[in-house]
Coordinates of all heavy atoms in Angstrom, one line a residue:
M1 N -12.7 -5.3 -9.1 CA -12.0 -4.2 -8.4 C -12.5 -2.9 -9.1 O -12.7 -2.8 -10.3 CB -10.5 -4.3 -8.6 CG -9.7 -3.1 -8.0 SD -8.0 -3.3 -8.1 CE -7.7 -2.4 -9.6
K2 N -12.8 -1.9 -8.2 CA -13.3 -0.6 -8.7 C -12.1 0.2 -9.2 O -10.9 0.0 -9.0 CB -13.9 0.2 -7.6 CG -15.1 -0.6 -6.9 CD -16.3 -0.5 -7.7 CE -17.4 -1.2 -7.0 NZ -18.7 -1.2 -7.6
T3 N -12.4 1.2 -10.0 CA -11.4 2.1 -10.6 C -11.4 3.4 -9.9 O -12.4 3.8 -9.2 CB -11.7 2.4 -12.1 OG1 -12.9 3.1 -12.2 CG2 -11.7 1.1 -12.9
P4 N -10.4 4.2 -10.0 CA -10.4 5.5 -9.3 C -11.3 6.5 -9.9 O -11.4 7.7 -9.4 CB -8.9 6.0 -9.4 CG -8.4 5.2 -10.6 CD -9.1 3.9 -10.6
N5 N -12.1 6.2 -10.9 CA -13.1 7.1 -11.5 C -14.4 7.1 -10.7 O -15.3 7.8 -11.0 CB -13.3 6.7 -13.0 CG -12.1 6.9 -13.8 OD1 -11.3 7.8 -13.5 ND2 -11.9 6.2 -14.8
Q6 N -14.5 6.2 -9.8 CA -15.8 6.1 -9.0 C -15.8 7.3 -8.0 O -14.8 7.9 -7.7 CB -15.9 4.8 -8.3 CG -14.9 4.6 -7.1 CD -14.9 3.2 -6.6 OE1 -14.8 2.3 -7.3 NE2 -15.1 3.1 -5.3
P7 N -17.0 7.6 -7.4 CA -17.0 8.7 -6.4 C -16.1 8.4 -5.3 O -15.9 7.3 -4.8 CB -18.5 8.6 -6.0 CG -19.2 7.9 -7.0 CD -18.2 6.9 -7.6
I8 N -15.5 9.5 -4.7 CA -14.6 9.4 -3.6 C -15.4 9.5 -2.3 O -16.2 10.4 -2.1 CB -13.5 10.5 -3.7 CG1 -12.7 10.4 -5.0 CG2 -12.7 10.5 -2.5 CD1 -11.8 11.6 -5.2
M9 N -15.1 8.5 -1.4 CA -15.6 8.6 -0.1 C -14.5 9.0 0.9 O -13.4 9.2 0.5 CB -16.1 7.1 0.3 CG -17.2 6.6 -0.7 SD -17.6 4.9 -0.4 CE -18.3 5.0 1.3
G10 N -14.9 9.3 2.1 CA -13.8 9.7 3.1 C -13.9 11.2 3.3 O -14.9 11.8 3.3
H11 N -12.7 11.8 3.4 CA -12.6 13.2 3.7 C -12.9 14.1 2.4 O -12.4 13.8 1.4 CB -11.2 13.5 4.2 CG -11.0 12.9 5.5 ND1 -9.7 12.5 5.9 CD2 -11.8 12.5 6.5 CE1 -9.7 12.0 7.1 NE2 -11.0 11.9 7.5
D12 N -13.6 15.1 2.6 CA -13.9 16.1 1.6 C -12.6 17.0 1.5 O -11.8 17.1 2.4 CB -15.1 17.0 2.0 CG -15.5 17.9 0.9 OD1 -16.2 17.5 0.0 OD2 -15.1 19.1 1.0
L13 N -12.5 17.7 0.3 CA -11.3 18.5 0.2 C -11.2 19.6 1.2 O -10.1 20.1 1.5 CB -11.3 19.1 -1.3 CG -10.8 18.2 -2.3 CD1 -10.9 18.8 -3.7 CD2 -9.4 17.7 -2.1
L14 N -12.3 20.0 1.8 CA -12.3 21.1 2.8 C -12.6 20.5 4.2 O -13.0 21.2 5.1 CB -13.4 22.2 2.5 CG -13.1 23.0 1.2 CD1 -14.2 23.9 0.9 CD2 -11.7 23.7 1.3
A15 N -12.3 19.2 4.4 CA -12.5 18.6 5.6 C -11.7 19.2 6.8 O -10.6 19.7 6.5 CB -12.2 17.1 5.5
V16 N -12.2 19.2 8.0 CA -11.6 19.7 9.1 C -10.2 19.1 9.3 O -9.2 19.7 9.8 CB -12.4 19.5 10.4 CG1 -11.7 19.9 11.7 CG2 -13.7 20.3 10.2
E17 N -10.1 17.8 9.0 CA -8.9 17.0 9.2 C -7.7 17.6 8.4 O -6.6 17.6 8.9 CB -9.0 15.6 8.8 CG -10.0 14.8 9.6 CD -11.5 15.0 9.3 OE1 -11.8 15.7 8.3 OE2 -12.3 14.4 10.0
R18 N -8.0 18.3 7.3 CA -6.9 18.9 6.5 C -6.2 20.0 7.3 O -5.0 20.3 7.0 CB -7.6 19.4 5.2 CG -6.7 20.2 4.3 CD -7.5 20.7 3.1 NE -6.8 21.7 2.4 CZ -7.2 22.3 1.3 NH1 -8.3 21.9 0.8 NH2 -6.5 23.2 0.7
F19 N -6.9 20.7 8.1 CA -6.4 21.9 8.8 C -5.8 21.6 10.2 O -5.4 22.5 10.9 CB -7.5 23.0 8.9 CG -7.9 23.4 7.5 CD1 -9.1 22.8 6.9 CD2 -7.2 24.2 6.7 CE1 -9.5 23.2 5.7 CE2 -7.6 24.6 5.4 CZ -8.8 24.0 4.9
R20 N -5.8 20.3 10.6 CA -5.2 20.0 11.9 C -3.7 20.2 11.9 O -3.1 20.1 10.9 CB -5.5 18.6 12.3 CG -7.0 18.4 12.6 CD -7.2 16.9 13.1 NE -8.7 16.8 13.4 CZ -9.3 15.6 13.5 NH1 -8.6 14.5 13.2 NH2 -10.5 15.6 13.8
D21 N -3.1 20.6 13.0 CA -1.7 20.9 13.1 C -0.8 19.7 12.7 O 0.3 19.9 12.2 CB -1.3 21.3 14.5 CG -1.9 22.7 14.8 OD1 -2.2 23.5 13.9 OD2 -2.0 23.0 16.0
D22 N -1.3 18.5 13.0 CA -0.4 17.3 12.7 C -0.6 16.7 11.4 O 0.0 15.7 11.0 CB -0.5 16.3 13.8 CG -1.9 15.6 13.9 OD1 -2.9 16.2 13.3 OD2 -2.1 14.6 14.5
T23 N -1.6 17.2 10.5 CA -1.8 16.6 9.2 C -0.7 17.0 8.3 O -0.3 18.1 8.1 CB -3.2 17.2 8.7 OG1 -4.2 16.8 9.5 CG2 -3.4 16.7 7.3
R24 N -0.1 15.9 7.7 CA 1.0 16.1 6.8 C 0.8 15.5 5.4 O 1.6 15.7 4.5 CB 2.3 15.4 7.4 CG 2.7 16.1 8.7 CD 3.3 17.5 8.4 NE 3.7 18.1 9.6 CZ 3.0 19.0 10.3 NH1 1.9 19.4 9.8 NH2 3.4 19.5 11.4
H25 N -0.2 14.6 5.2 CA -0.4 13.9 4.0 C -1.8 13.8 3.6 O -2.7 13.8 4.4 CB 0.1 12.5 4.1 CG 1.5 12.3 4.6 ND1 2.6 12.4 3.7 CD2 2.1 12.2 5.8 CE1 3.7 12.3 4.3 NE2 3.4 12.2 5.6
M26 N -2.1 13.8 2.3 CA -3.4 13.5 1.7 C -3.2 12.3 0.8 O -2.3 12.3 -0.1 CB -3.9 14.7 0.9 CG -5.3 14.6 0.3 SD -5.6 13.7 -1.2 CE -4.6 14.6 -2.3
A27 N -4.0 11.3 1.0 CA -3.8 10.1 0.1 C -5.2 9.7 -0.4 O -6.2 9.8 0.3 CB -3.2 9.0 0.9
E28 N -5.2 9.3 -1.7 CA -6.4 8.7 -2.3 C -6.0 7.3 -2.7 O -5.0 7.1 -3.3 CB -6.9 9.5 -3.5 CG -7.4 10.8 -3.2 CD -8.0 11.6 -4.4 OE1 -8.2 10.9 -5.4 OE2 -8.2 12.8 -4.3
F29 N -6.9 6.4 -2.2 CA -6.5 5.0 -2.5 C -7.8 4.1 -2.6 O -8.9 4.5 -2.2 CB -5.6 4.4 -1.3 CG -6.2 4.7 0.1 CD1 -7.0 3.7 0.7 CD2 -5.9 5.8 0.8 CE1 -7.5 3.9 1.9 CE2 -6.4 6.0 2.0 CZ -7.2 5.1 2.6
S30 N -7.6 3.0 -3.2 CA -8.6 2.0 -3.5 C -8.4 0.8 -2.5 O -7.2 0.4 -2.4 CB -8.6 1.5 -4.9 OG -9.6 0.6 -5.2
I31 N -9.4 0.3 -1.9 CA -9.3 -0.9 -1.0 C -9.4 -2.1 -1.8 O -10.4 -2.3 -2.5 CB -10.4 -0.8 0.1 CG1 -10.4 0.5 0.8 CG2 -10.3 -2.0 1.0 CD1 -9.3 0.7 1.7
L32 N -8.4 -3.0 -1.8 CA -8.4 -4.2 -2.6 C -8.9 -5.4 -1.8 O -9.4 -6.4 -2.4 CB -7.0 -4.5 -3.1 CG -6.3 -3.4 -3.9 CD1 -4.9 -3.7 -4.2 CD2 -7.1 -3.1 -5.1
A33 N -8.8 -5.3 -0.5 CA -9.3 -6.4 0.4 C -9.7 -5.7 1.7 O -9.1 -4.7 2.2 CB -8.2 -7.4 0.7
D34 N -10.7 -6.2 2.4 CA -11.2 -5.6 3.6 C -10.0 -5.5 4.6 O -9.2 -6.4 4.8 CB -12.3 -6.5 4.3 CG -13.6 -6.4 3.5 OD1 -13.8 -5.5 2.7 OD2 -14.5 -7.1 3.9
C35 N -9.9 -4.3 5.2 CA -8.8 -4.1 6.2 C -9.3 -3.0 7.1 O -10.4 -2.6 7.0 CB -7.5 -3.7 5.5 SG -7.7 -2.2 4.5
S36 N -8.4 -2.6 8.0 CA -8.8 -1.6 9.0 C -9.1 -0.2 8.4 O -9.7 0.7 9.0 CB -7.7 -1.4 10.0 OG -6.5 -1.0 9.4
L37 N -8.7 0.0 7.1 CA -8.9 1.3 6.4 C -10.2 1.4 5.7 O -10.7 2.5 5.4 CB -7.7 1.5 5.4 CG -6.3 1.7 6.1 CD1 -5.3 1.7 5.0 CD2 -6.3 2.9 6.9
G38 N -10.8 0.2 5.4 CA -12.1 0.2 4.7 C -12.5 -1.1 4.2 O -11.9 -2.1 4.5
H39 N -13.5 -1.1 3.4 CA -14.0 -2.3 2.8 C -13.7 -2.5 1.3 O -13.5 -1.4 0.6 CB -15.6 -2.4 2.9 CG -16.0 -2.4 4.4 ND1 -15.8 -3.4 5.2 CD2 -16.6 -1.4 5.1 CE1 -16.3 -3.1 6.4 NE2 -16.8 -1.8 6.4
E40 N -13.5 -3.7 0.9 CA -13.1 -3.9 -0.5 C -14.0 -3.2 -1.5 O -15.3 -3.1 -1.3 CB -13.2 -5.4 -0.8 CG -12.8 -5.8 -2.2 CD -12.8 -7.3 -2.4 OE1 -13.0 -8.1 -1.4 OE2 -12.6 -7.7 -3.6
G41 N -13.4 -2.5 -2.5 CA -14.2 -1.8 -3.5 C -14.3 -0.3 -3.2 O -14.7 0.4 -4.1
Q42 N -14.0 0.1 -2.0 CA -14.1 1.6 -1.7 C -12.9 2.3 -2.3 O -11.8 1.8 -2.4 CB -14.2 1.8 -0.2 CG -15.4 1.4 0.5 CD -15.4 1.7 2.0 OE1 -14.4 1.3 2.6 NE2 -16.4 2.3 2.5
Y43 N -13.2 3.6 -2.7 CA -12.1 4.5 -3.1 C -12.2 5.7 -2.1 O -13.2 6.3 -2.0 CB -12.3 5.0 -4.5 CG -11.2 5.8 -5.1 CD1 -10.0 5.2 -5.5 CD2 -11.3 7.2 -5.1 CE1 -9.0 5.9 -6.0 CE2 -10.2 7.9 -5.6 CZ -9.1 7.3 -6.0 OH -8.0 8.0 -6.5
L44 N -11.1 5.9 -1.4 CA -11.2 6.8 -0.2 C -10.1 7.9 -0.4 O -9.1 7.7 -1.0 CB -10.9 6.1 1.1 CG -11.8 4.9 1.4 CD1 -11.2 4.2 2.6 CD2 -13.2 5.5 1.8
R45 N -10.4 9.1 0.2 CA -9.5 10.2 0.4 C -9.4 10.4 1.9 O -10.4 10.5 2.6 CB -10.0 11.5 -0.2 CG -9.0 12.6 0.0 CD -9.5 14.0 -0.4 NE -9.7 14.0 -1.8 CZ -10.9 14.3 -2.4 NH1 -12.0 14.6 -1.7 NH2 -11.0 14.4 -3.7
R46 N -8.1 10.5 2.4 CA -7.9 10.7 3.8 C -6.8 11.7 3.9 O -5.8 11.8 3.2 CB -7.4 9.4 4.5 CG -8.4 8.3 4.5 CD -9.3 8.5 5.7 NE -10.1 7.4 5.9 CZ -11.5 7.3 5.8 NH1 -12.1 8.4 5.5 NH2 -12.1 6.2 6.0
F47 N -7.0 12.6 4.9 CA -5.9 13.5 5.4 C -5.3 12.9 6.6 O -6.0 12.6 7.6 CB -6.5 14.9 5.7 CG -6.9 15.6 4.4 CD1 -8.2 15.6 4.0 CD2 -6.0 16.3 3.6 CE1 -8.6 16.3 2.8 CE2 -6.4 16.9 2.4 CZ -7.7 16.9 2.0
L48 N -4.0 12.7 6.6 CA -3.3 11.9 7.6 C -2.2 12.5 8.3 O -1.5 13.3 7.7 CB -2.8 10.6 6.9 CG -3.9 9.8 6.1 CD1 -3.2 8.9 5.1 CD2 -4.7 9.0 7.1
N49 N -1.9 12.1 9.5 CA -0.7 12.5 10.2 C 0.4 11.5 9.8 O 0.1 10.5 9.0 CB -0.9 12.6 11.7 CG -1.3 11.3 12.3 OD1 -1.2 10.2 11.7 ND2 -1.9 11.4 13.5
E50 N 1.6 11.6 10.4 CA 2.7 10.7 10.0 C 2.3 9.2 10.3 O 2.6 8.3 9.5 CB 4.0 11.1 10.7 CG 4.6 12.4 10.2 CD 5.0 12.4 8.7 OE1 5.2 11.3 8.2 OE2 5.1 13.5 8.2
D51 N 1.7 8.9 11.5 CA 1.4 7.6 11.8 C 0.3 7.0 10.9 O 0.4 5.8 10.5 CB 0.9 7.5 13.3 CG 2.0 7.8 14.3 OD1 3.2 7.6 14.0 OD2 1.6 8.3 15.4
G52 N -0.7 7.8 10.6 CA -1.7 7.3 9.6 C -1.2 7.0 8.3 O -1.6 6.1 7.6
Y53 N -0.2 7.9 7.8 CA 0.3 7.6 6.5 C 1.2 6.4 6.5 O 1.2 5.6 5.5 CB 1.1 8.8 6.0 CG 1.6 8.7 4.6 CD1 0.7 8.5 3.5 CD2 3.0 8.7 4.3 CE1 1.2 8.4 2.2 CE2 3.4 8.6 3.0 CZ 2.5 8.4 2.0 OH 2.9 8.3 0.7
A54 N 1.9 6.1 7.6 CA 2.7 4.9 7.7 C 1.8 3.7 7.7 O 2.1 2.7 7.1 CB 3.5 4.9 9.1
Q55 N 0.6 3.8 8.3 CA -0.4 2.7 8.2 C -0.9 2.5 6.8 O -1.0 1.3 6.3 CB -1.6 3.0 9.1 CG -2.6 1.9 9.2 CD -3.8 2.3 10.1 OE1 -4.0 3.5 10.5 NE2 -4.6 1.3 10.4
V56 N -1.1 3.5 6.0 CA -1.5 3.4 4.6 C -0.4 2.7 3.8 O -0.6 1.8 3.0 CB -1.8 4.8 4.0 CG1 -1.8 4.8 2.5 CG2 -3.1 5.3 4.6
L57 N 0.9 3.1 4.0 CA 2.0 2.5 3.3 C 2.2 1.1 3.6 O 2.4 0.2 2.8 CB 3.3 3.3 3.5 CG 3.4 4.7 3.0 CD1 4.7 5.3 3.4 CD2 3.2 4.7 1.5
D58 N 2.0 0.7 4.9 CA 2.0 -0.7 5.3 C 0.9 -1.5 4.7 O 1.2 -2.6 4.2 CB 1.9 -0.8 6.8 CG 2.2 -2.1 7.4 OD1 3.2 -2.8 6.9 OD2 1.4 -2.6 8.2
A59 N -0.3 -1.0 4.6 CA -1.4 -1.7 4.0 C -1.1 -1.9 2.5 O -1.5 -2.9 1.9 CB -2.7 -0.9 4.2
Q60 N -0.5 -0.9 1.8 CA -0.1 -1.0 0.4 C 0.9 -2.1 0.2 O 0.8 -2.9 -0.7 CB 0.4 0.3 -0.1 CG 0.7 0.2 -1.6 CD 1.0 1.6 -2.2 OE1 0.2 2.1 -2.9 NE2 2.2 2.1 -2.0
R61 N 1.9 -2.2 1.1 CA 3.0 -3.2 1.0 C 2.3 -4.6 1.2 O 2.8 -5.6 0.6 CB 4.0 -3.0 2.1 CG 5.1 -2.1 1.7 CD 6.3 -2.1 2.7 NE 5.9 -1.6 4.0 CZ 5.9 -0.3 4.3 NH1 6.3 0.6 3.5 NH2 5.6 0.1 5.5
Q62 N 1.3 -4.7 2.0 CA 0.6 -6.0 2.2 C -0.4 -6.3 1.1 O -1.0 -7.4 1.1 CB -0.1 -6.0 3.6 CG 0.9 -5.9 4.7 CD 0.1 -5.8 6.1 OE1 -1.0 -6.1 6.2 NE2 0.9 -5.4 7.1
G63 N -0.6 -5.4 0.2 CA -1.5 -5.7 -0.9 C -3.0 -5.5 -0.6 O -3.9 -5.9 -1.3
Q64 N -3.3 -4.8 0.5 CA -4.6 -4.5 0.9 C -5.2 -3.3 0.2 O -6.5 -3.2 0.0 CB -4.7 -4.3 2.4 CG -4.3 -5.6 3.2 CD -4.2 -5.3 4.7 OE1 -4.0 -4.2 5.1 NE2 -4.4 -6.3 5.5
I65 N -4.4 -2.4 -0.2 CA -4.8 -1.1 -0.8 C -3.9 -0.8 -2.0 O -2.8 -1.3 -2.0 CB -5.0 0.1 0.1 CG1 -3.6 0.5 0.6 CG2 -5.9 -0.2 1.3 CD1 -3.6 1.8 1.3
R66 N -4.3 0.1 -2.8 CA -3.5 0.7 -3.8 C -3.6 2.2 -3.8 O -4.7 2.8 -3.9 CB -3.8 0.2 -5.2 CG -2.9 0.9 -6.3 CD -3.1 0.3 -7.6 NE -2.2 1.0 -8.5 CZ -2.5 1.4 -9.8 NH1 -3.6 1.0 -10.3 NH2 -1.7 2.1 -10.5
V67 N -2.5 2.9 -3.5 CA -2.5 4.4 -3.5 C -2.4 4.9 -4.9 O -1.6 4.6 -5.6 CB -1.4 4.9 -2.6 CG1 -1.3 6.4 -2.6 CG2 -1.5 4.4 -1.2
Y68 N -3.4 5.8 -5.2 CA -3.4 6.4 -6.5 C -2.9 7.8 -6.5 O -2.3 8.3 -7.5 CB -4.8 6.4 -7.1 CG -5.3 5.1 -7.6 CD1 -6.1 4.3 -6.7 CD2 -5.0 4.6 -8.8 CE1 -6.5 3.0 -7.1 CE2 -5.4 3.4 -9.2 CZ -6.2 2.6 -8.4 OH -6.6 1.3 -8.8
K69 N -3.1 8.6 -5.4 CA -2.6 9.9 -5.3 C -2.1 10.2 -3.9 O -2.7 9.7 -3.0 CB -3.8 10.9 -5.6 CG -4.3 10.9 -7.0 CD -5.4 12.0 -7.2 CE -6.0 11.9 -8.6 NZ -7.1 12.9 -8.7
H70 N -1.0 11.0 -3.9 CA -0.5 11.4 -2.6 C 0.0 12.8 -2.8 O 0.5 13.2 -3.8 CB 0.7 10.5 -2.2 CG 1.4 11.1 -1.0 ND1 2.5 11.9 -1.1 CD2 1.1 11.0 0.3 CE1 2.9 12.3 0.1 NE2 2.1 11.8 1.0
A71 N -0.2 13.6 -1.7 CA 0.3 15.0 -1.7 C 0.6 15.4 -0.3 O 0.0 14.9 0.7 CB -0.8 16.0 -2.3
A72 N 1.6 16.2 -0.2 CA 2.0 16.7 1.2 C 1.0 17.8 1.5 O 0.4 18.5 0.7 CB 3.4 17.3 1.1
V73 N 0.7 18.0 2.8 CA -0.2 19.0 3.3 C 0.6 19.8 4.3 O 1.2 19.3 5.3 CB -1.4 18.4 4.0 CG1 -2.3 19.5 4.6 CG2 -2.2 17.5 3.0
I74 N 0.7 21.1 4.1 CA 1.4 22.1 4.9 C 0.4 23.2 5.3 O -0.1 23.9 4.5 CB 2.6 22.6 4.3 CG1 3.6 21.5 3.9 CG2 3.3 23.7 5.2 CD1 4.8 22.0 3.0
E75 N 0.1 23.2 6.6 CA -0.8 24.2 7.2 C -2.1 24.3 6.4 O -2.7 25.4 6.1 CB -0.2 25.6 7.2 CG 1.0 25.6 8.2 CD 1.7 27.0 8.3 OE1 1.3 27.9 7.5 OE2 2.6 27.2 9.1
G76 N -2.6 23.1 6.0 CA -3.9 23.0 5.3 C -3.8 23.2 3.8 O -4.8 22.9 3.1
H77 N -2.6 23.5 3.3 CA -2.4 23.7 1.8 C -2.0 22.4 1.3 O -1.0 21.8 1.7 CB -1.4 24.8 1.5 CG -1.8 26.1 2.0 ND1 -2.7 26.9 1.3 CD2 -1.4 26.8 3.1 CE1 -2.8 28.0 2.0 NE2 -2.1 28.0 3.1
I78 N -2.6 21.9 0.2 CA -2.2 20.7 -0.5 C -1.2 21.0 -1.5 O -1.4 21.8 -2.4 CB -3.4 20.0 -1.2 CG1 -4.5 19.7 -0.2 CG2 -3.0 18.8 -2.0 CD1 -5.8 19.2 -0.8
M79 N 0.0 20.5 -1.3 CA 1.2 20.7 -2.1 C 1.2 19.7 -3.2 O 1.5 18.5 -2.9 CB 2.4 20.7 -1.3 CG 2.4 21.6 -0.1 SD 1.9 23.3 -0.4 CE 3.4 23.9 -1.1
P80 N 1.0 20.0 -4.5 CA 1.1 19.0 -5.5 C 2.5 18.4 -5.6 O 3.5 19.1 -5.3 CB 0.8 19.8 -6.8 CG 1.0 21.2 -6.5 CD 0.8 21.4 -5.0
P81 N 2.6 17.1 -6.0 CA 3.9 16.5 -6.1 C 4.7 17.2 -7.2 O 4.2 17.6 -8.2 CB 3.6 15.0 -6.5 CG 2.2 15.0 -6.9 CD 1.5 16.2 -6.3
K82 N 6.0 17.2 -6.9 CA 6.9 17.8 -7.9 C 7.1 16.8 -9.1 O 7.2 15.6 -8.8 CB 8.3 18.1 -7.3 CG 8.2 19.2 -6.2 CD 9.5 19.4 -5.6 CE 9.4 20.5 -4.5 NZ 10.7 20.7 -3.9
P83 N 7.2 17.3 -10.3 CA 7.4 16.4 -11.4 C 8.8 15.7 -11.3 O 9.7 16.4 -10.8 CB 7.3 17.3 -12.7 CG 7.4 18.7 -12.2 CD 7.0 18.7 -10.7
K84 N 8.8 14.5 -11.7 CA 10.1 13.8 -11.6 C 11.0 14.3 -12.7 O 10.7 14.6 -13.8 CB 9.9 12.3 -11.8 CG 9.1 11.7 -10.7 CD 8.9 10.2 -11.0 CE 8.2 9.6 -9.8 NZ 8.0 8.1 -10.0
R85 N 12.3 14.5 -12.3 CA 13.3 15.1 -13.2 C 13.9 13.9 -13.9 O 14.2 12.9 -13.3 CB 14.3 15.9 -12.4 CG 13.7 17.1 -11.8 CD 14.8 17.9 -11.0 NE 15.7 18.4 -12.0 CZ 16.6 19.4 -11.7 NH1 16.6 19.8 -10.5 NH2 17.4 19.8 -12.6
R86 N 14.2 14.1 -15.2 CA 14.8 13.1 -16.0 C 16.3 13.2 -15.8 O 16.9 14.4 -15.8 CB 14.5 13.2 -17.4 CG 13.0 13.0 -17.6 CD 12.7 13.1 -19.1 NE 11.9 12.0 -19.5 CZ 11.6 11.7 -20.7 NH1 12.0 12.4 -21.7 NH2 10.9 10.6 -21.0
R87 N 17.0 12.1 -15.7 CA 18.5 12.2 -15.6 C 19.1 12.7 -16.9 O 18.7 12.3 -18.0 CB 19.0 10.8 -15.3 CG 18.5 10.4 -13.9 CD 19.0 9.0 -13.6 NE 20.3 9.2 -12.9 CZ 21.0 8.2 -12.5 NH1 20.7 7.0 -12.8 NH2 22.2 8.4 -11.9
G88 N 20.1 13.5 -16.8 CA 20.9 13.9 -17.9 C 20.3 15.1 -18.6 O 20.7 15.5 -19.7
K89 N 19.2 15.7 -18.1 CA 18.6 16.9 -18.7 C 18.5 18.0 -17.7 O 18.5 17.9 -16.6 CB 17.2 16.6 -19.2 CG 17.3 15.6 -20.4 CD 15.9 15.5 -21.0 CE 16.0 14.6 -22.2 NZ 14.8 14.5 -22.9

């Protein structure tokens, strides 16, 4: 299995897909087994609409991929995930 330190394939950070009206998610993931998203060993970045992100989550539940990074995309802006708050603080 490859690590997320390998070169990223798929969409570039300034890809046209990022600026589409229906794009809501950016996901970086590693392909663990050949599937509709790619071939085993690839590390990909994709800008996705809601249906595409649901497909990524489904593939992760089936063990075909592992998502390493996710961010919301609003009007082309990548919104970094909020840090998790600790309970009681």
Side-chain angles (χ1 to χ4, degrees):
M1 184 177 89
K2 304 282 183 177
T3 64
N5 295 330
Q6 72 188 51
I8 298 174
M9 299 173 65
H11 296 151
D12 186 81
L13 282 176
L14 294 177
V16 173
E17 293 82 2
R18 173 178 166 180
F19 300 98
R20 290 185 179 158
D21 290 339
D22 65 343
T23 298
R24 297 288 178 261
H25 304 274
M26 186 274 306
E28 290 184 14
F29 53 91
S30 180
I31 307 290
L32 305 176
D34 285 351
C35 63
S36 62
L37 297 171
H39 300 288
E40 185 176 350
Q42 289 180 311
Y43 187 78
L44 302 171
R45 175 188 296 124
R46 294 275 191 246
F47 289 98
L48 305 159
N49 59 19
E50 293 296 339
D51 292 335
Y53 187 59
Q55 183 181 12
V56 165
L57 292 178
D58 187 48
Q60 181 171 255
R61 276 190 293 275
Q62 294 176 17
Q64 298 171 334
I65 69 169
R66 178 171 179 218
V67 176
Y68 287 96
K69 293 181 183 177
H70 171 265
V73 177
I74 300 173
E75 295 180 355
H77 298 282
I78 298 173
M79 309 304 287
K82 295 179 182 177
K84 293 182 180 180
R85 295 179 68 166
R86 297 178 131 190
R87 296 179 90 181
K89 291 189 176 185

